[in-house]
């Protein structure tokens, strides 16, 4: 009884210190390595428009999708690594601005849909016409979806951020549903895919539809609504049926395989990271992809992409390069370190010499993922049953 009482007293003292502004690195999970990554992330964050990233921009040239979205994912990963709520507060400050600029709030008309869309348009990729792409909706909505799931998984976070999480969930749901008109069943039983009115009736490139698929998996994890699980499963089966296993046990696939799954061009490792992210989320949600699939995706990196110390191919088939998409690509494949820890070693080496003066969102995300996995591997070992960090309350609370 005395021991239990002492433990309760200590936990209470920790809680008091936490609310009194204890530096985040005082938290027991924050090793010197995590401190180093957090310091690097914070310095890089300040170098991108004084800590405001691109949240004040429109998505005209893809700034929100291919810059700001990575920064926001980095904030969520840095919170997971350090349990410092300042990163959640920064995320909220950023996403509130992004949400305020959504097209439907300003009556910006999508050229191909002839109406405003609950998304963020661009004229960079559609012959100078304003258009909302599924891939942009997917990558922009992923960080807020992760915010919602993180908040709802921790009691103290629900108390502090529950209302904001509810607001974001409603807005994410609207943006995801804006692409329902572009959903198609088939072509084979159990499959489904997205098209885009600016192109043709063929399936979108895998990464473009699977970016939305990752949000779909998160919406299922948050709501347990099986309409999301069903759609994610159809997307996942469409993808899996167009992946082939090579003799060395790795997976290969094409950037935009036709519906009949024949022919195409091997995907580059940067775009491919979106597909790997989707498949990994599906695995932990028990949707189509399983442990054997994750090992095969890991082998794609270790046997096809990795050529030798510090040298990496451009494509998942081992072509091109070297290192055109490095180091940012390895940061976005890093969740596969659960299945092959040598990928973590690749990322550590690749990011060791990143020039902080040339900060960008993708490299910030890579640093944040390194911090997150540094913490998680120390706590649970190289492979976990759930890629999310533990959901115990912060600062020592049990």
């Amino acid at each position: 009884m005395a021991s239990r009482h002492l433990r309760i007293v200590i936990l209470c003292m920790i809680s008091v210190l936490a609310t009194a502004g204890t530096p985040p690195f005082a938290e027991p999970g924050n090793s010197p390595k995590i401190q180093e990554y957090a310091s690097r992330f914070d310095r890089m964050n300040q170098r991108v428009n004084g800590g405001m990233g691109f949240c004040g921009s429109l998505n005209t040239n893809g700034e929100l999708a291919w810059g700001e979205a990575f920064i926001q994912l980095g904030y969520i990963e840095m919170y997971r690594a350090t349990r410092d709520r300042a990163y959640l507060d920064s995320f909220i400050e950023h996403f509130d601005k992004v949400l305020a600029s959504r097209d439907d709030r300003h009556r910006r008309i999508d050229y191909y849909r002839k109406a405003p869309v609950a998304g963020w348009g661009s004229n960079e990729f559609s012959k100078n016409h304003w258009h909302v792409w599924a891939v942009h909706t997917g990558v922009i909505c992923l960080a807020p979806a992760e915010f919602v799931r993180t908040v709802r998984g921790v009691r103290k976070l629900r108390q502090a951020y529950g209302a904001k999480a509810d607001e974001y969930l409603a807005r994410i749901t609207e943006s995801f549903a804006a692409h329902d008109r572009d959903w198609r069943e088939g072509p084979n039983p159990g499959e489904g895919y997205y098209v885009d009115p600016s192109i043709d009736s063929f399936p979108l490139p895998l990464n473009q539809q699977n970016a939305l698929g990752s949000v779909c998996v998160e919406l299922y994890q948050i709501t347990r609504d099986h309409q999301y699980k069903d759609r994610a499963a159809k997307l996942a089966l469409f993808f899996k049926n167009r992946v082939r296993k090579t003799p060395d046990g790795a997976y290969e696939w094409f950037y935009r395989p036709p519906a009949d799954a024949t022919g195409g061009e091997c995907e580059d490792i940067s775009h491919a990271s979106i597909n790997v992210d989707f498949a990994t989320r599906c695995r932990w949600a028990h949707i189509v992809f399983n442990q054997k699939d994750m090992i095969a995706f890991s082998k794609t990196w270790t046997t096809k992409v990795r050529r030798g110390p510090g040298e990496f191919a451009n494509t998942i088939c081992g072509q091109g390069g070297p290192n055109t998409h490095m180091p940012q690509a390895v940061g976005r494949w890093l969740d596969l370190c659960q299945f092959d820890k040598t990928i973590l070693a690749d990322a550590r080496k690749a990011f060791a010499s990143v020039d902080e003066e040339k900060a960008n969102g993708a490299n910030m995300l890579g640093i944040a993922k390194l911090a997150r996995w540094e913490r998680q591997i120390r706590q649970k070992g190289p492979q976990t049953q759930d890629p999310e960090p533990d959901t115990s309350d912060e600062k020592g609370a049990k």
Side-chain angles (χ1 to χ4, degrees), residues 267-328:
E267 192 163 45
D268 67 81
I269 63 173
S270 183
H271 287 97
S273 67
I274 297 175
N275 293 317
V276 170
D277 177 80
F278 172 60
T280 305
R281 292 174 193 273
C282 285
R283 184 266 176 269
W284 296 116
H286 306 289
I287 298 172
V288 178
F289 289 101
N290 58 32
Q291 194 80 357
K292 291 182 179 179
D293 295 312
M294 295 299 101
I295 293 170
F297 281 117
S298 300
K299 285 182 177 294
T300 300
W301 184 271
T302 59
T303 67
K304 302 294 185 183
V305 179
R306 183 199 292 152
R307 291 178 174 170
E311 185 171 311
F312 301 90
N314 283 356
T315 77
I316 59 168
C317 300
Q319 304 159 340
N323 299 348
T324 302
H325 304 291
M326 294 291 286
Q328 60 90 6

Side-chain angles (χ1 to χ4, degrees), residues 150-170:
T150 299
V151 165
R152 290 192 170 190
V154 180
R155 176 175 53 82
K156 288 186 177 180
L157 294 184
R158 289 197 300 273
Q159 295 170 349
Y161 299 107
K164 186 60 71 173
D166 291 345
E167 175 193 349
Y168 288 170
L169 178 59

Side-chain angles (χ1 to χ4, degrees), residues 100-144:
S101 71
R102 203 171 70 175
D103 283 11
D104 58 328
R105 296 191 171 190
H106 298 274
R107 305 297 300 172
R108 286 189 288 270
I109 304 298
D110 186 299
Y111 176 84
Y112 297 97
R113 297 185 175 100
K114 310 303 179 186
V117 176
W120 296 265
S122 167
N123 60 16
E124 177 73 10
F125 312 98
S126 49
K127 301 178 181 178
N128 207 37
H129 297 308
W130 194 261
H131 180 51
V132 175
W133 291 91
V135 64
H136 289 178
T137 299
V139 293
I140 292 170
C141 288
L142 189 55

Side-chain angles (χ1 to χ4, degrees), residues 268-273 276 298 301-302 305-306 310-314 323-337 340-352 354 362-363 365-367 369-370 373:
D268 67 81
I269 63 173
S270 183
H271 287 97
S273 67
V276 170
S298 300
W301 184 271
T302 59
V305 179
R306 183 199 292 152
E311 185 171 311
F312 301 90
N314 283 356
N323 299 348
T324 302
H325 304 291
M326 294 291 286
Q328 60 90 6
V330 68
R332 295 163 62 200
W333 285 65
L334 193 49
D335 290 347
L336 290 180
C337 73
D340 189 322
K341 62 183 179 181
T342 67
I343 299 173
L344 180 61
D346 287 342
R348 285 170 173 160
K349 291 177 182 177
F351 282 99
V354 166
N363 285 346
L365 175 58
I367 295 290
K369 280 188 172 289
L370 277 171
W373 281 107

